[in-house]
Amino acid sequence: MNAIISATELASDMAGPNPPVLLDVRWQLSVAKAAGEPPFDGRAAYEAGHVPGAVFVDLDRELASAPGGRGRHPLPDLAEFGTAMRRAGVSSAAPVVVYDGGQGWAAARAWWLLRWTGHPDVRVLDGGLPAWEGPLETAAPVPREGDFQPAPGAVVMLDADGAAALARSGVLLDARAGERYRGDVEPIDPVGGHIPGAVSAPTNENVGADGSFLAADDLRARFKTLGVSGDSAEVGVYCGSGVSGAHEVLALAVAGIPAALYVGSWSEWSSDPSRPVAVGPDPQ
């Protein structure tokens, strides 16, 4: 099953006999707080207009637990996550489509969590809400309660030790911007740089100007230049806090390459001064 769905395909599925459950996960990583600017309000954006039938899901509150030693977006409490998904109408036997405002990171986080907890049929709207050409609605639907029960472990997840080991035994991709990987700048976390052995692979290079993913063949070619191929060693991904990294895992899935996510990512890694940090363009 393809991990993404086009807006045309979504419109067709919504009109069919088994329409998907729609989740709106609009969110933006904001570094504006230091300047005193208000953070992005995903719920307000949702209330201003969303795909008909979509239910808003709050990334910070429902797709992550409170920031701390495990990173800025650690795994959510599974009971709370399950409650949020059932409230949104998610059931194991019903397909799910997730979208965000176009960047794709937040939608990918929801996609990865649902896959990791065992949902068999979840896709991301390619290009997000900007790709949707149908009508929007402002009323919030009240869906029928779903029956989804999270069963974690359906896909591989990495912890800090696993990520460090994979950087030596396989391919560990760093999905952040190149300047953060090199340690030139670090606007959010305690220190700049990367996990020793990780390869710089900014996730924004997996999409075109409109935010839609590159063709699968083009993605495979890109990842091959980074040392990844369908028959290569194991592949892992990390980012700042397990959000944009999920987007890279999604891009790898589009290319037909399975990959594990290090959820804690750099925000967890860099919080422990005993962990090694590499800087500059070289992986080591």
Side-chain angles (χ1 to χ4, degrees):
M1 184 189 71
N2 201 343
I4 57 176
I5 184 172
S6 71
T8 300
E9 292 169 327
L10 175 58
S12 177
D13 285 1
M14 288 170 63
N18 188 27
V21 173
L22 298 176
L23 305 181
D24 182 313
V25 196
R26 272 179 276 182
W27 171 91
Q28 290 180 14
L29 176 64
S30 176
V31 295
K33 294 179 181 178
E37 300 177 19
F40 174 78
D41 189 337
R43 183 173 290 278
Y46 166 83
E47 291 173 349
H50 51 267
V51 177
V55 176
F56 179 71
V57 174
D58 189 311
L59 186 148
D60 289 318
R61 293 179 174 84
E62 297 174 320
L63 304 183
S65 52
R70 295 184 298 128
R72 284 184 281 109
H73 288 106
L75 288 173
D77 177 87
L78 284 179
E80 294 178 4
F81 174 67
T83 297
M85 292 300 98
R86 291 189 294 273
R87 172 193 59 81
V90 175
S91 292
S92 296
V96 177
V97 171
V98 190
Y99 71 88
D100 58 23
Q103 189 177 42
W105 295 4
R109 170 73 175 215
W111 167 83
W112 183 85
L113 274 171
L114 283 165
R115 290 180 68 242
W116 178 67
T117 53
H119 198 286
D121 188 353
V122 53
R123 290 173 289 174
V124 169
L125 176 59
D126 195 18
L129 187 62
W132 176 254
E133 297 181 349
L136 299 178
E137 69 178 14
T138 57
V142 181
R144 178 180 297 179
E145 182 86 1
D147 64 13
F148 180 66
Q149 296 290 339
V155 296
V156 179
M157 180 182 70
L158 297 172
D159 59 12
D161 290 341
L166 186 56
R168 305 299 182 189
S169 65
V171 181
L172 181 65
L173 300 177
D174 185 318
R176 298 172 301 159
E179 59 267 25
R180 292 183 68 193
Y181 169 89
R182 295 189 300 270
D184 299 343
V185 299
E186 182 45 64
I188 308 173
D189 293 314
V191 63
H194 57 270
I195 297 173
V199 177
S200 180
T203 198
N204 62 3
E205 295 180 15
N206 296 319
V207 299
D210 63 352
S212 298
F213 281 104
L214 303 178
D217 286 345
D218 294 334
L219 287 170
R220 281 190 286 271
R222 185 203 177 208
F223 289 123
K224 187 174 182 180
T225 67
L226 298 172
V228 177
S229 63
D231 57 355
S232 71
E234 293 182 10
V235 180
V237 180
Y238 75 95
C239 57
S241 65
V243 178
S244 66
H247 189 262
E248 186 124 293
V249 173
L250 176 58
L252 285 155
V254 173
I257 302 169
L261 178 66
Y262 171 27
V263 177
S265 286
W266 188 249
S267 58
E268 179 186 42
W269 183 276
S270 62
S271 70
D272 184 345
S274 71
R275 294 192 182 109
V277 172
V279 296
D282 187 270
Q284 305 305 324

